Amino acid sequence: MTTSNIKAKRCREKNEFYQRKFRDIAPMTSNELAALQRIEATTDGNPYEYCYRYATNDGSPIVVVDVRSEAERSVSIIPGAISLVEFEDTVTALPSNAVVVCYCTIGYRSGLEARRLKEKYSLEGRIRNLDGIVSYTHADPLALVDIDDNSSNRKEKPHLVDPTTGEKSDMVHIYGNTWNCVDEAYGTTHFSFPVLAVRSVGVGLL
């Protein structure tokens, strides 16, 4: 088994451990999310070359919500994701058929927030807990649909983006070294031990 496969296996095991804590929230894998991603050439003055949108197979819009801290999000995000604050600021405009997908590092904090959002905004049946940004680094490129960039159809391995520039990023914040099972194509950073301890107590990890 290759190092990459070993890391992917560890990643799945960690996520499965956390997902079991949230049996009332439907899970979603990064492969599933990647398969539902649509990348479109922008035509509305967007400074980025492409915009990222998601929709279920029946056409319902998907809103991807990054529940991590600002420090984590500043390193990289899943394309098209919005912050938890952005989501709650605009939730009144959420389409009635929209599916909300929450993510964090590996599925624990996103499970907590998904449960809170479900109860607060009556999202029963419309909210998912993604397996996390670490898992997203292992997403299977064969799960992606064809991308139409107005010039050719192509397939592209899922990637993360810098939230400031919109450009591809090969770095990911992994919260703490315990969750360092990202794909080998990525570099990592994480909180120092004192900061990690305080944050982990705050969300019930310690």
Side-chain angles (χ1 to χ4, degrees):
M1 184 178 289
T2 66
T3 300
S4 181
N5 287 340
I6 291 172
K7 287 188 171 184
K9 182 175 182 292
R10 284 177 53 211
C11 190
R12 287 194 301 272
E13 290 171 347
K14 289 178 181 294
N15 174 254
E16 288 169 359
F17 171 78
Y18 291 121
Q19 290 282 10
R20 286 195 292 270
K21 297 178 181 292
F22 306 102
R23 297 185 186 278
D24 56 319
I25 304 294
M28 176 178 275
T29 68
S30 290
N31 282 348
E32 290 172 327
L33 182 66
L36 297 171
Q37 184 185 84
R38 306 291 187 268
I39 305 180
E40 304 168 0
T42 59
T43 59
D44 56 1
N46 189 305
Y48 307 147
E49 182 181 3
Y50 296 103
C51 58
Y52 300 84
R53 297 189 176 91
Y54 302 83
T56 63
N57 290 328
D58 65 4
S60 298
I62 294 174
V63 181
V64 182
V65 183
D66 188 331
V67 311
R68 300 175 302 154
S69 67
E70 183 177 352
E72 294 167 275
R73 294 196 313 274
S74 68
V75 176
S76 62
I77 62 172
I78 291 175
I82 62 173
S83 70
L84 185 59
V85 171
E86 289 175 300
F87 174 75
E88 296 204 73
D89 282 349
T90 59
V91 70
T92 55
L94 186 71
S96 60
N97 64 336
V99 175
V100 179
V101 179
C102 297
Y103 79 87
C104 61
T105 303
I106 200 74
Y108 178 71
R109 289 175 293 166
S110 55
L112 292 174
E113 288 296 343
R115 180 177 285 164
R116 181 182 70 83
L117 294 175
K118 180 188 73 170
E119 296 172 354
K120 184 175 181 179
Y121 300 112
S122 301
L123 296 174
E124 182 71 44
R126 296 199 292 132
I127 196 157
R128 306 286 185 270
N129 186 17
L130 191 69
D131 51 12
I133 196 168
V134 170
S135 298
Y136 192 84
T137 67
H138 294 284
D140 184 355
L142 295 179
L144 287 178
V145 298
D146 286 337
I147 299 168
D148 185 357
D149 62 2
N150 294 335
S151 62
S152 64
N153 291 327
R154 56 195 172 87
K155 287 185 181 293
E156 186 173 285
K157 180 177 173 60
H159 60 269
L160 303 177
V161 297
D162 181 314
T164 301
T165 66
E167 296 179 353
K168 294 180 184 179
S169 174
D170 59 2
M171 289 293 295
V172 58
H173 198 296
I174 58 171
Y175 194 70
N177 200 49
T178 298
W179 299 276
N180 189 3
C181 46
V182 302
D183 184 86
E184 292 179 299
Y186 290 85
T188 63
T189 185
H190 56 79
F191 292 122
S192 64
F193 181 75
V195 174
L196 177 65
V198 171
R199 288 179 176 272
S200 296
V201 168
V203 296
L205 278 171
L206 293 179

